[in-house]
Amino acid sequence: MLIALSIIGGFIILTLGAEALVRGASSIALRLGITPLVIGLTIVAFGTSAPELAVSVKSALAGNSGIALGNVIGSNIANIGLILAITALIRPIEVQSQMVKRDIPLMILASMLFWGLLLDGELSLIDGAVLLSLLVGYLVFSYISSKNTTDADGEVIEEGPKNPLLSLLFIAIGISMLVGGGVLFVNGAVDLAKTFGVSEVIIGLTIVAIGTSMPELVTSVIAAFKGQSDIAIGNIVGSNVFNILGILGVTAIVHPVSGLGFQPLDFIVMLALTVVVLPFAWSGYQIGRRRGAALLLSYLGYMSYLVSQASTQALV
């Protein structure tokens, strides 16, 4: 009963937090003259990734590298195969040329760098410092490029709170609710999985990953319903970049992260879904329902494989 209340309550808090974050971030974008796309890539993306950061650092400190690393890999897979897919099914996503020519390729490069750094079996303190340095460079570059972008390059978004301080309050409350709701949802889901004897790595790749990705899902879906494609896709791409450069960077500095227990398939699926976003977005500068369905089917296939693996482990 308590597990069910944790999962349901977490989802409700997530929904309310996502609504507050989108409204506050949209208003800040208008006030500061920053494009909605950059707001989606930064404030919204980092805010919705806060649960992943909390879970990964906590897991690393507890010595649960499987959950810490599986959380990031699984979240990046879920962000594209599940969240981008569902968002596109709800409403086709218009993609700006900047996203196709710069941000998506950077997401692909970050994913390849992640895999390369982990080839020696561990993310060290030095690896973490490298990742965080790249994140800072990405943020500075995004801000500078945003200030050089004309209003015509962005989309029109609805007005949020009139008062800038109220907008910041909306963002703070939204992120706090996303973190609280995400942790509540994950704790309930992990407790449920452990009662069935599911392994740490599988839990990290599936339940924890999906649970900590719930903020991205709810936020992108709400943005899609509001017709704010820039925030919807910026949230997804920015979250994937932040998961690798920010979360893994911080986690590796706090405690070295071991890559033991992960199969090459997990990295291949993450990289394949990341790469396929580029041609999907390039063709017509739109990710429509058919492409969303293709992504979702790929994700469901991967999940089916993991569930079968978990079932085999439980029988052993």
Side-chain angles (χ1 to χ4, degrees):
M1 182 65 178
L2 289 176
I3 293 176
L5 287 175
S6 179
I7 294 173
I8 295 172
F11 183 76
I12 292 173
I13 295 173
L14 281 168
T15 303
L16 296 175
E19 174 68 24
L21 178 60
V22 170
R23 285 185 176 274
S26 299
S27 178
I28 288 294
L30 289 173
R31 300 292 177 273
L32 299 181
I34 300 174
T35 64
L37 177 57
V38 172
I39 288 292
L41 286 165
T42 54
I43 296 176
V44 175
F46 297 177
T48 56
S49 289
E52 281 98 326
L53 177 60
V55 169
S56 289
V57 171
K58 179 181 177 183
S59 298
L61 288 173
N64 299 323
S65 292
I67 288 181
L69 198 57
N71 175 34
V72 170
I73 297 172
S75 291
N76 279 20
I77 291 173
N79 281 348
I80 296 173
L82 180 65
I83 297 166
L84 182 61
I86 291 176
T87 305
L89 286 171
I90 290 173
R91 184 168 183 165
I93 302 173
E94 301 296 330
V95 184
Q96 287 190 38
S97 60
Q98 170 191 319
M99 176 68 70
V100 173
K101 296 175 182 178
R102 189 192 74 190
D103 298 302
I104 294 176
L106 284 174
M107 176 178 67
I108 295 172
L109 290 175
S111 300
M112 294 174 69
L113 174 63
F114 167 33
W115 194 353
L117 291 176
L118 204 59
L119 287 177
D120 62 358
E122 182 183 78
L123 285 179
S124 65
L125 186 148
I126 295 177
D127 294 334
V130 169
L131 293 173
L132 277 181
S133 298
L134 291 174
L135 176 64
V136 172
Y138 174 69
L139 289 175
V140 172
F141 181 70
S142 294
Y143 177 77
I144 293 175
S145 64
S146 173
K147 301 305 291 184
N148 294 331
T149 302
T150 63
D151 293 338
D153 295 324
E155 63 186 13
V156 177
I157 58 178
E158 65 179 36
E159 287 276 355
K162 301 290 185 182
N163 190 322
L165 292 179
L166 187 58
S167 297
L168 292 174
L169 181 62
F170 266 58
I171 292 174
I173 291 174
I175 291 175
S176 298
M177 294 180 74
L178 288 174
V179 173
V183 171
L184 194 63
F185 185 96
V186 168
N187 287 342
V190 170
D191 288 341
L192 181 64
K194 286 183 176 179
T195 60
F196 291 98
V198 180
S199 75
E200 183 182 284
V201 169
I202 299 296
I203 290 174
L205 286 167
T206 56
I207 296 170
V208 175
I210 295 174
T212 55
S213 290
M214 290 302 293
E216 285 92 338
L217 174 60
V218 178
T219 302
S220 288
V221 167
I222 288 176
F225 275 122
K226 293 176 178 292
Q228 298 173 3
S229 291
D230 282 349
I231 288 181
I233 191 169
N235 172 37
I236 294 166
V237 173
S239 291
N240 276 20
V241 172
F242 183 70
N243 284 348
I244 295 173
L245 302 183
I247 293 176
L248 286 179
V250 171
T251 305
I253 288 176
V254 171
H255 191 283
V257 179
S258 173
L260 297 177
F262 287 88
Q263 303 298 321
L265 178 64
D266 302 321
F267 292 98
I268 291 172
V269 171
M270 182 191 74
L271 191 56
L273 285 175
T274 302
V275 170
V276 82
V277 173
L278 186 58
F280 274 18
W282 201 306
S283 178
Y285 288 92
Q286 183 185 79
I287 300 177
R289 291 187 173 90
R290 288 185 179 179
R291 292 165 186 169
L295 291 173
L296 185 58
L297 288 174
S298 300
Y299 182 76
L300 293 177
Y302 175 63
M303 286 295 104
S304 298
Y305 168 77
L306 291 180
V307 170
S308 68
Q309 291 290 99
S311 299
T312 301
Q313 292 175 5
L315 293 174
V316 174

